[in-house]
Amino acid sequence: DAGVTQSPTHLIKTRGQHVTLRCSPISGHKSVSWYQQVLGQGPQFIFQYYEKEERGRGNFPDRFSARQFPNYSSELNVNALLLGDSALYLCASSAARGSFNYGYTFGSGTRLTVV
Amino acid sequence: AQRVTQPEKLLSVFKGAPVELKCNYSYSGSPELFWYVQYSRQRLQLLLRHISRESIKGFTADLNKGETSFHLKKPFAQEEDSAMYYCALSGSETSYDKVIFGPGTSLSVIP
């Protein structure tokens, strides 16, 4: 099993552009969560998807959106990029949600730089 | 408000010395607490969960609801314990869907 895979690993975008980040969960995992990690801080929750439905949303503007596909892979989209969106974007998968969440398995992240 | 605090950004201990990484939380519902670890050039990974009351790599953590703390402890630090440690919580208030991470503590074990 390749674990949680994220693509691309690095990305440089210009302010105002749009970006799409991709995540494939561990086989059999139905829950995918997205986190933003700014340098020197802990990961900040953006979204959780389970069974293709949004189950949780963090305090991020509407420029951030996501979706989960029938194969449980997921995309995170960010519109109208700002310099402050520069961060490491982490995807995490888990086999279940709710109180049966035994912890996340994280991908290695996508490093987004906005210039 | 839901919050996790880790008062120490950096912690240095000598090999063989006891180590304690502090974590305090603010949560009005029924919390579940976790410790995650990130070794150099590796992915963030789960170290332990309070609900399983397990000891992983010699580390233990006890949930103290009275003091709202979940400190991570190890009696004898090893060089390979040097890493970034994050305390995290989820809970009933958000149907356990949202995991809140603390800012992290960088542990350095001096040989």
Side-chain angles (χ1 to χ4, degrees):
Chain A
D1 191 346
V4 178
T5 56
Q6 290 187 244
S7 62
T9 53
H10 295 85
L11 203 50
I12 299 175
K13 289 285 190 178
T14 304
R15 272 181 300 175
Q17 283 189 315
H18 161 270
V19 69
T20 297
L21 310 180
R22 296 179 174 82
C23 171
S24 293
I26 286 176
S27 178
H29 281 194
K30 298 181 179 180
S31 172
V32 170
S33 297
W34 287 95
Y35 285 80
Q36 181 196 65
Q37 187 173 23
V38 173
L39 199 62
Q41 296 181 21
Q44 299 292 312
F45 174 77
I46 310 176
F47 286 109
Q48 194 211 36
Y49 277 78
Y50 180 76
E51 287 284 17
K52 293 153 283 184
E53 288 190 23
E54 182 183 303
R55 303 291 183 169
R57 186 182 183 108
N59 294 327
F60 280 81
D62 291 343
R63 298 184 297 107
F64 288 76
S65 64
R67 55 180 176 167
Q68 187 176 33
F69 298 100
N71 66 353
Y72 303 110
S73 66
S74 177
E75 280 182 357
L76 175 70
N77 295 283
V78 187
N79 292 323
L81 285 166
L82 303 173
L83 295 179
D85 296 331
S86 296
L88 181 67
Y89 288 84
L90 295 168
C91 173
S93 75
S94 60
R97 62 180 288 251
S99 57
F100 299 104
N101 183 347
Y102 297 111
Y104 290 135
T105 301
F106 279 87
S108 54
T110 294
R111 171 74 61 190
L112 172 65
T113 302
V114 182
V115 297
Chain B
Q2 306 155 10
R3 182 187 237 178
V4 177
T5 55
Q6 295 178 251
E8 301 133 333
K9 235 180 152 67
L10 297 165
L11 183 64
S12 294
V13 299
F14 285 101
K15 178 182 172 181
V19 60
E20 181 180 52
L21 293 102
K22 291 185 166 50
C23 170
N24 288 91
Y25 67 91
S26 171
Y27 199 80
S28 54
S30 177
E32 286 196 15
L33 277 297
F34 306 83
W35 277 98
Y36 282 82
V37 61
Q38 188 166 27
Y39 300 103
S40 180
R41 298 189 187 85
Q42 293 188 27
R43 302 177 182 197
L44 193 59
Q45 58 186 279
L46 178 67
L47 181 62
L48 56 78
R49 303 174 295 141
H50 94 270
I51 202 166
S52 56
R53 296 181 176 276
E54 57 205 341
S55 172
I56 303 291
K57 300 185 179 183
F59 284 98
T60 58
D62 289 319
L63 178 60
N64 186 324
K65 290 189 177 181
E67 295 183 359
T68 59
S69 68
F70 188 57
H71 303 328
L72 184 68
K73 299 177 185 178
K74 185 170 182 177
F76 308 104
Q78 303 298 315
E79 287 178 67
E80 56 265 29
D81 296 329
S82 295
M84 194 74 184
Y85 290 81
Y86 295 97
C87 182
L89 79 83
S90 69
S92 55
E93 269 193 13
T94 51
S95 302
Y96 303 94
D97 288 325
K98 176 179 176 179
V99 178
I100 300 165
F101 284 81
T105 297
S106 177
L107 174 65
S108 177
V109 180
I110 305 162

PDB file of all heavy atoms in Angstrom, chain A residues 12-37:
ATOM      1  N   ILE A  12       4.195  26.451  -7.501  1.00  0.00           N
ATOM      2  CA  ILE A  12       4.335  27.904  -7.386  1.00  0.00           C
ATOM      3  C   ILE A  12       3.262  28.550  -8.240  1.00  0.00           C
ATOM      4  O   ILE A  12       3.124  28.227  -9.421  1.00  0.00           O
ATOM      5  CB  ILE A  12       5.730  28.379  -7.844  1.00  0.00           C
ATOM      6  CG1 ILE A  12       6.815  27.745  -6.976  1.00  0.00           C
ATOM      7  CG2 ILE A  12       5.828  29.908  -7.784  1.00  0.00           C
ATOM      8  CD1 ILE A  12       8.225  28.053  -7.419  1.00  0.00           C
ATOM      9  N   LYS A  13       2.495  29.443  -7.622  1.00  0.00           N
ATOM     10  CA  LYS A  13       1.398  30.108  -8.319  1.00  0.00           C
ATOM     11  C   LYS A  13       1.508  31.613  -8.087  1.00  0.00           C
ATOM     12  O   LYS A  13       2.138  32.075  -7.122  1.00  0.00           O
ATOM     13  CB  LYS A  13       0.046  29.623  -7.787  1.00  0.00           C
ATOM     14  CG  LYS A  13      -0.309  28.200  -8.179  1.00  0.00           C
ATOM     15  CD  LYS A  13      -0.720  28.153  -9.638  1.00  0.00           C
ATOM     16  CE  LYS A  13      -1.314  26.824 -10.015  1.00  0.00           C
ATOM     17  NZ  LYS A  13      -1.767  26.805 -11.426  1.00  0.00           N
ATOM     18  N   THR A  14       0.841  32.353  -8.953  1.00  0.00           N
ATOM     19  CA  THR A  14       0.807  33.808  -8.848  1.00  0.00           C
ATOM     20  C   THR A  14      -0.471  34.233  -8.144  1.00  0.00           C
ATOM     21  O   THR A  14      -1.516  33.559  -8.270  1.00  0.00           O
ATOM     22  CB  THR A  14       0.871  34.432 -10.255  1.00  0.00           C
ATOM     23  OG1 THR A  14       2.031  33.944 -10.919  1.00  0.00           O
ATOM     24  CG2 THR A  14       0.933  35.943 -10.176  1.00  0.00           C
ATOM     25  N   ARG A  15      -0.412  35.347  -7.435  1.00  0.00           N
ATOM     26  CA  ARG A  15      -1.601  35.891  -6.781  1.00  0.00           C
ATOM     27  C   ARG A  15      -2.768  35.993  -7.767  1.00  0.00           C
ATOM     28  O   ARG A  15      -2.581  36.433  -8.910  1.00  0.00           O
ATOM     29  CB  ARG A  15      -1.309  37.283  -6.242  1.00  0.00           C
ATOM     30  CG  ARG A  15      -0.748  37.307  -4.856  1.00  0.00           C
ATOM     31  CD  ARG A  15      -0.504  38.718  -4.399  1.00  0.00           C
ATOM     32  NE  ARG A  15       0.431  39.422  -5.257  1.00  0.00           N
ATOM     33  CZ  ARG A  15       0.739  40.697  -5.123  1.00  0.00           C
ATOM     34  NH1 ARG A  15       0.178  41.416  -4.184  1.00  0.00           N
ATOM     35  NH2 ARG A  15       1.593  41.261  -5.937  1.00  0.00           N
ATOM     36  N   GLY A  16      -3.946  35.622  -7.307  1.00  0.00           N
ATOM     37  CA  GLY A  16      -5.133  35.702  -8.141  1.00  0.00           C
ATOM     38  C   GLY A  16      -5.436  34.431  -8.934  1.00  0.00           C
ATOM     39  O   GLY A  16      -6.556  34.259  -9.418  1.00  0.00           O
ATOM     40  N   GLN A  17      -4.429  33.547  -9.030  1.00  0.00           N
ATOM     41  CA  GLN A  17      -4.656  32.307  -9.772  1.00  0.00           C
ATOM     42  C   GLN A  17      -5.454  31.314  -8.939  1.00  0.00           C
ATOM     43  O   GLN A  17      -5.741  31.520  -7.750  1.00  0.00           O
ATOM     44  CB  GLN A  17      -3.308  31.680 -10.168  1.00  0.00           C
ATOM     45  CG  GLN A  17      -2.637  32.357 -11.346  1.00  0.00           C
ATOM     46  CD  GLN A  17      -1.432  31.585 -11.840  1.00  0.00           C
ATOM     47  OE1 GLN A  17      -0.586  31.123 -11.049  1.00  0.00           O
ATOM     48  NE2 GLN A  17      -1.324  31.435 -13.152  1.00  0.00           N
ATOM     49  N   HIS A  18      -5.756  30.204  -9.588  1.00  0.00           N
ATOM     50  CA  HIS A  18      -6.499  29.131  -8.956  1.00  0.00           C
ATOM     51  C   HIS A  18      -5.592  27.894  -8.871  1.00  0.00           C
ATOM     52  O   HIS A  18      -4.699  27.714  -9.709  1.00  0.00           O
ATOM     53  CB  HIS A  18      -7.736  28.836  -9.821  1.00  0.00           C
ATOM     54  CG  HIS A  18      -8.342  27.484  -9.565  1.00  0.00           C
ATOM     55  ND1 HIS A  18      -7.966  26.344 -10.258  1.00  0.00           N
ATOM     56  CD2 HIS A  18      -9.305  27.099  -8.688  1.00  0.00           C
ATOM     57  CE1 HIS A  18      -8.680  25.311  -9.813  1.00  0.00           C
ATOM     58  NE2 HIS A  18      -9.497  25.743  -8.864  1.00  0.00           N
ATOM     59  N   VAL A  19      -5.794  27.069  -7.845  1.00  0.00           N
ATOM     60  CA  VAL A  19      -4.978  25.868  -7.709  1.00  0.00           C
ATOM     61  C   VAL A  19      -5.858  24.679  -7.311  1.00  0.00           C
ATOM     62  O   VAL A  19      -6.872  24.843  -6.607  1.00  0.00           O
ATOM     63  CB  VAL A  19      -3.859  26.084  -6.656  1.00  0.00           C
ATOM     64  CG1 VAL A  19      -4.426  26.202  -5.247  1.00  0.00           C
ATOM     65  CG2 VAL A  19      -2.827  24.970  -6.716  1.00  0.00           C
ATOM     66  N   THR A  20      -5.466  23.509  -7.797  1.00  0.00           N
ATOM     67  CA  THR A  20      -6.138  22.257  -7.420  1.00  0.00           C
ATOM     68  C   THR A  20      -5.102  21.289  -6.877  1.00  0.00           C
ATOM     69  O   THR A  20      -4.101  21.008  -7.537  1.00  0.00           O
ATOM     70  CB  THR A  20      -6.847  21.615  -8.626  1.00  0.00           C
ATOM     71  OG1 THR A  20      -7.870  22.496  -9.097  1.00  0.00           O
ATOM     72  CG2 THR A  20      -7.484  20.282  -8.223  1.00  0.00           C
ATOM     73  N   LEU A  21      -5.349  20.813  -5.678  1.00  0.00           N
ATOM     74  CA  LEU A  21      -4.467  19.839  -5.035  1.00  0.00           C
ATOM     75  C   LEU A  21      -5.210  18.514  -4.944  1.00  0.00           C
ATOM     76  O   LEU A  21      -6.430  18.494  -4.717  1.00  0.00           O
ATOM     77  CB  LEU A  21      -4.077  20.312  -3.629  1.00  0.00           C
ATOM     78  CG  LEU A  21      -3.554  21.749  -3.516  1.00  0.00           C
ATOM     79  CD1 LEU A  21      -3.202  22.054  -2.064  1.00  0.00           C
ATOM     80  CD2 LEU A  21      -2.375  21.975  -4.427  1.00  0.00           C
ATOM     81  N   ARG A  22      -4.469  17.427  -5.091  1.00  0.00           N
ATOM     82  CA  ARG A  22      -5.091  16.111  -5.150  1.00  0.00           C
ATOM     83  C   ARG A  22      -4.578  15.170  -4.070  1.00  0.00           C
ATOM     84  O   ARG A  22      -3.421  15.260  -3.653  1.00  0.00           O
ATOM     85  CB  ARG A  22      -4.892  15.489  -6.529  1.00  0.00           C
ATOM     86  CG  ARG A  22      -5.596  16.282  -7.631  1.00  0.00           C
ATOM     87  CD  ARG A  22      -5.392  15.706  -9.012  1.00  0.00           C
ATOM     88  NE  ARG A  22      -6.198  16.435  -9.980  1.00  0.00           N
ATOM     89  CZ  ARG A  22      -5.853  17.592 -10.546  1.00  0.00           C
ATOM     90  NH1 ARG A  22      -4.687  18.143 -10.252  1.00  0.00           N
ATOM     91  NH2 ARG A  22      -6.650  18.188 -11.408  1.00  0.00           N
ATOM     92  N   CYS A  23      -5.462  14.264  -3.672  1.00  0.00           N
ATOM     93  CA  CYS A  23      -5.134  13.339  -2.599  1.00  0.00           C
ATOM     94  C   CYS A  23      -5.791  11.995  -2.861  1.00  0.00           C
ATOM     95  O   CYS A  23      -6.980  11.925  -3.189  1.00  0.00           O
ATOM     96  CB  CYS A  23      -5.635  13.907  -1.267  1.00  0.00           C
ATOM     97  SG  CYS A  23      -5.515  12.756   0.127  1.00  0.00           S
ATOM     98  N   SER A  24      -5.010  10.926  -2.705  1.00  0.00           N
ATOM     99  CA  SER A  24      -5.554   9.582  -2.755  1.00  0.00           C
ATOM    100  C   SER A  24      -5.380   8.930  -1.398  1.00  0.00           C
ATOM    101  O   SER A  24      -4.247   8.822  -0.906  1.00  0.00           O
ATOM    102  CB  SER A  24      -4.837   8.742  -3.824  1.00  0.00           C
ATOM    103  OG  SER A  24      -5.112   9.222  -5.108  1.00  0.00           O
ATOM    104  N   PRO A  25      -6.472   8.502  -0.764  1.00  0.00           N
ATOM    105  CA  PRO A  25      -6.358   7.932   0.576  1.00  0.00           C
ATOM    106  C   PRO A  25      -5.831   6.503   0.531  1.00  0.00           C
ATOM    107  O   PRO A  25      -5.699   5.911  -0.547  1.00  0.00           O
ATOM    108  CB  PRO A  25      -7.797   7.957   1.080  1.00  0.00           C
ATOM    109  CG  PRO A  25      -8.628   7.807  -0.163  1.00  0.00           C
ATOM    110  CD  PRO A  25      -7.863   8.550  -1.231  1.00  0.00           C
ATOM    111  N   ILE A  26      -5.552   5.983   1.691  1.00  0.00           N
ATOM    112  CA  ILE A  26      -5.190   4.575   1.805  1.00  0.00           C
ATOM    113  C   ILE A  26      -6.369   3.742   1.326  1.00  0.00           C
ATOM    114  O   ILE A  26      -7.536   4.082   1.590  1.00  0.00           O
ATOM    115  CB  ILE A  26      -4.841   4.237   3.266  1.00  0.00           C
ATOM    116  CG1 ILE A  26      -3.474   4.832   3.616  1.00  0.00           C
ATOM    117  CG2 ILE A  26      -4.851   2.743   3.523  1.00  0.00           C
ATOM    118  CD1 ILE A  26      -3.076   4.649   5.050  1.00  0.00           C
ATOM    119  N   SER A  27      -6.074   2.663   0.632  1.00  0.00           N
ATOM    120  CA  SER A  27      -7.129   1.792   0.132  1.00  0.00           C
ATOM    121  C   SER A  27      -8.027   1.339   1.275  1.00  0.00           C
ATOM    122  O   SER A  27      -7.560   0.861   2.316  1.00  0.00           O
ATOM    123  CB  SER A  27      -6.487   0.571  -0.543  1.00  0.00           C
ATOM    124  OG  SER A  27      -7.474  -0.308  -0.991  1.00  0.00           O
ATOM    125  N   GLY A  28      -9.328   1.535   1.088  1.00  0.00           N
ATOM    126  CA  GLY A  28     -10.285   1.142   2.123  1.00  0.00           C
ATOM    127  C   GLY A  28     -10.675   2.285   3.048  1.00  0.00           C
ATOM    128  O   GLY A  28     -11.655   2.174   3.787  1.00  0.00           O
ATOM    129  N   HIS A  29      -9.913   3.360   3.038  1.00  0.00           N
ATOM    130  CA  HIS A  29     -10.261   4.519   3.863  1.00  0.00           C
ATOM    131  C   HIS A  29     -11.296   5.370   3.140  1.00  0.00           C
ATOM    132  O   HIS A  29     -11.094   5.749   1.985  1.00  0.00           O
ATOM    133  CB  HIS A  29      -9.019   5.361   4.164  1.00  0.00           C
ATOM    134  CG  HIS A  29      -8.167   4.793   5.244  1.00  0.00           C
ATOM    135  ND1 HIS A  29      -7.168   5.524   5.862  1.00  0.00           N
ATOM    136  CD2 HIS A  29      -8.175   3.573   5.835  1.00  0.00           C
ATOM    137  CE1 HIS A  29      -6.584   4.767   6.773  1.00  0.00           C
ATOM    138  NE2 HIS A  29      -7.172   3.577   6.768  1.00  0.00           N
ATOM    139  N   LYS A  30     -12.374   5.699   3.847  1.00  0.00           N
ATOM    140  CA  LYS A  30     -13.455   6.450   3.230  1.00  0.00           C
ATOM    141  C   LYS A  30     -13.478   7.916   3.653  1.00  0.00           C
ATOM    142  O   LYS A  30     -14.260   8.693   3.130  1.00  0.00           O
ATOM    143  CB  LYS A  30     -14.793   5.801   3.588  1.00  0.00           C
ATOM    144  CG  LYS A  30     -14.934   4.376   3.078  1.00  0.00           C
ATOM    145  CD  LYS A  30     -16.286   3.788   3.434  1.00  0.00           C
ATOM    146  CE  LYS A  30     -16.400   2.366   2.882  1.00  0.00           C
ATOM    147  NZ  LYS A  30     -17.706   1.758   3.216  1.00  0.00           N
ATOM    148  N   SER A  31     -12.651   8.266   4.609  1.00  0.00           N
ATOM    149  CA  SER A  31     -12.640   9.632   5.124  1.00  0.00           C
ATOM    150  C   SER A  31     -11.354  10.334   4.711  1.00  0.00           C
ATOM    151  O   SER A  31     -10.259   9.782   4.859  1.00  0.00           O
ATOM    152  CB  SER A  31     -12.747   9.595   6.653  1.00  0.00           C
ATOM    153  OG  SER A  31     -12.560  10.885   7.186  1.00  0.00           O
ATOM    154  N   VAL A  32     -11.504  11.542   4.186  1.00  0.00           N
ATOM    155  CA  VAL A  32     -10.354  12.364   3.806  1.00  0.00           C
ATOM    156  C   VAL A  32     -10.512  13.736   4.448  1.00  0.00           C
ATOM    157  O   VAL A  32     -11.587  14.333   4.388  1.00  0.00           O
ATOM    158  CB  VAL A  32     -10.254  12.516   2.274  1.00  0.00           C
ATOM    159  CG1 VAL A  32      -9.214  13.574   1.907  1.00  0.00           C
ATOM    160  CG2 VAL A  32      -9.883  11.190   1.623  1.00  0.00           C
ATOM    161  N   SER A  33      -9.431  14.211   5.043  1.00  0.00           N
ATOM    162  CA  SER A  33      -9.425  15.545   5.639  1.00  0.00           C
ATOM    163  C   SER A  33      -8.282  16.360   5.054  1.00  0.00           C
ATOM    164  O   SER A  33      -7.250  15.806   4.673  1.00  0.00           O
ATOM    165  CB  SER A  33      -9.252  15.460   7.161  1.00  0.00           C
ATOM    166  OG  SER A  33     -10.329  14.785   7.756  1.00  0.00           O
ATOM    167  N   TRP A  34      -8.493  17.645   5.000  1.00  0.00           N
ATOM    168  CA  TRP A  34      -7.474  18.573   4.490  1.00  0.00           C
ATOM    169  C   TRP A  34      -7.057  19.536   5.596  1.00  0.00           C
ATOM    170  O   TRP A  34      -7.899  20.038   6.346  1.00  0.00           O
ATOM    171  CB  TRP A  34      -8.025  19.376   3.306  1.00  0.00           C
ATOM    172  CG  TRP A  34      -8.165  18.588   2.043  1.00  0.00           C
ATOM    173  CD1 TRP A  34      -9.290  17.963   1.586  1.00  0.00           C
ATOM    174  CD2 TRP A  34      -7.142  18.351   1.074  1.00  0.00           C
ATOM    175  NE1 TRP A  34      -9.030  17.340   0.382  1.00  0.00           N
ATOM    176  CE2 TRP A  34      -7.724  17.577   0.048  1.00  0.00           C
ATOM    177  CE3 TRP A  34      -5.800  18.717   0.955  1.00  0.00           C
ATOM    178  CZ2 TRP A  34      -7.003  17.157  -1.072  1.00  0.00           C
ATOM    179  CZ3 TRP A  34      -5.088  18.314  -0.159  1.00  0.00           C
ATOM    180  CH2 TRP A  34      -5.692  17.539  -1.162  1.00  0.00           C
ATOM    181  N   TYR A  35      -5.747  19.782   5.653  1.00  0.00           N
ATOM    182  CA  TYR A  35      -5.187  20.689   6.632  1.00  0.00           C
ATOM    183  C   TYR A  35      -4.218  21.646   5.954  1.00  0.00           C
ATOM    184  O   TYR A  35      -3.539  21.289   4.995  1.00  0.00           O
ATOM    185  CB  TYR A  35      -4.432  19.923   7.730  1.00  0.00           C
ATOM    186  CG  TYR A  35      -5.347  19.237   8.702  1.00  0.00           C
ATOM    187  CD1 TYR A  35      -5.940  18.017   8.404  1.00  0.00           C
ATOM    188  CD2 TYR A  35      -5.663  19.836   9.925  1.00  0.00           C
ATOM    189  CE1 TYR A  35      -6.816  17.413   9.293  1.00  0.00           C
ATOM    190  CE2 TYR A  35      -6.529  19.229  10.819  1.00  0.00           C
ATOM    191  CZ  TYR A  35      -7.102  18.030  10.495  1.00  0.00           C
ATOM    192  OH  TYR A  35      -7.963  17.437  11.373  1.00  0.00           O
ATOM    193  N   GLN A  36      -4.149  22.854   6.506  1.00  0.00           N
ATOM    194  CA  GLN A  36      -3.169  23.836   6.068  1.00  0.00           C
ATOM    195  C   GLN A  36      -2.148  24.015   7.189  1.00  0.00           C
ATOM    196  O   GLN A  36      -2.526  24.216   8.345  1.00  0.00           O
ATOM    197  CB  GLN A  36      -3.840  25.184   5.774  1.00  0.00           C
ATOM    198  CG  GLN A  36      -2.873  26.260   5.292  1.00  0.00           C
ATOM    199  CD  GLN A  36      -3.475  27.655   5.371  1.00  0.00           C
ATOM    200  OE1 GLN A  36      -3.759  28.157   6.452  1.00  0.00           O
ATOM    201  NE2 GLN A  36      -3.665  28.283   4.210  1.00  0.00           N
ATOM    202  N   GLN A  37      -0.871  23.914   6.847  1.00  0.00           N
ATOM    203  CA  GLN A  37       0.160  24.118   7.861  1.00  0.00           C
ATOM    204  C   GLN A  37       1.100  25.234   7.419  1.00  0.00           C
ATOM    205  O   GLN A  37       1.883  25.055   6.482  1.00  0.00           O
ATOM    206  CB  GLN A  37       0.941  22.833   8.126  1.00  0.00           C
ATOM    207  CG  GLN A  37       1.900  22.964   9.303  1.00  0.00           C
ATOM    208  CD  GLN A  37       2.558  21.667   9.696  1.00  0.00           C
ATOM    209  OE1 GLN A  37       2.668  20.742   8.903  1.00  0.00           O
ATOM    210  NE2 GLN A  37       2.987  21.578  10.938  1.00  0.00           N
TER     211      GLN A  37
END
